[in-house]
Amino acid sequence: MHRIVLTSIGLVSLALGFLGIILPLLPTTPFLLLSASCFCRSSPRLYKWLMNHPWFGLYIRSYREVRAIPFRAKVIAVSLLVVTIGYLVLFTSIYWLIKVAACTVALIVTIHILRLKSLTSEMVNDMNQSNELS
């Protein structure tokens, strides 16, 4: 029963992580980290698949091991955030309080993203070497 619950949470979290790629205010990395944590405890097969996934494996490992993301991912994430929130604020007629809240969330997320280290090839090599040793 415990494994089923954790696997289910991991799959829902994975789906939300995939959606986070498209929807800028929905974070991708935290959901992928939650998925990895759930799969690690419930499904070795899904955990191995996620950690070796061609798109997300590097992001999860680099965030978990060295708290870094690729510079390109930073640029894309912040750009999509600015464009989406800019559109929301400038071209929609929603309440000003929602606009202020969205801008506040966007600012907090942007600060978090920019404070993360940019992943370098040396970091990737070090991660790969430490994974080979274990």
Side-chain angles (χ1 to χ4, degrees):
M1 182 67 170
H2 186 256
R3 289 183 60 186
I4 294 171
V5 171
L6 283 176
T7 302
S8 299
I9 292 171
L11 290 171
V12 169
S13 177
L14 183 62
L16 290 172
F18 281 129
L19 282 177
I21 296 168
I22 301 164
L23 306 171
L25 282 180
L26 188 64
T28 300
T29 304
F31 287 119
L32 294 177
L33 292 172
L34 177 60
S35 294
S37 179
C38 289
F39 292 157
C40 181
R41 291 169 176 79
S42 66
S43 174
R45 185 177 56 86
L46 285 174
Y47 178 74
K48 184 178 178 181
W49 171 82
L50 184 60
M51 295 307 286
N52 293 315
H53 191 275
W55 293 348
F56 302 116
L58 177 63
Y59 288 98
I60 295 168
R61 285 193 316 275
S62 65
Y63 190 86
R64 288 174 77 183
E65 295 176 22
V66 292
R67 289 279 192 248
I69 60 173
F71 180 76
R72 183 173 185 266
K74 283 184 174 184
V75 171
I76 291 170
V78 172
S79 299
L80 285 172
L81 199 55
V82 168
V83 168
T84 303
I85 298 303
Y87 178 82
L88 175 85
V89 169
L90 297 174
F91 300 112
T92 63
S93 60
I94 59 175
Y95 295 109
W96 67 271
L97 189 57
I98 295 174
K99 291 180 181 185
V100 170
C103 287
T104 302
V105 170
L107 180 63
I108 292 168
V109 170
T110 299
I111 290 169
H112 175 70
I113 290 170
L114 294 178
R115 288 184 73 199
L116 292 171
K117 293 180 275 188
S118 294
L119 188 65
T120 63
S121 57
E122 291 82 20
M123 290 177 182
V124 172
N125 290 337
D126 290 344
M127 286 184 334
N128 289 338
Q129 285 177 352
S130 67
N131 287 338
E132 288 173 2
L133 295 175
S134 49

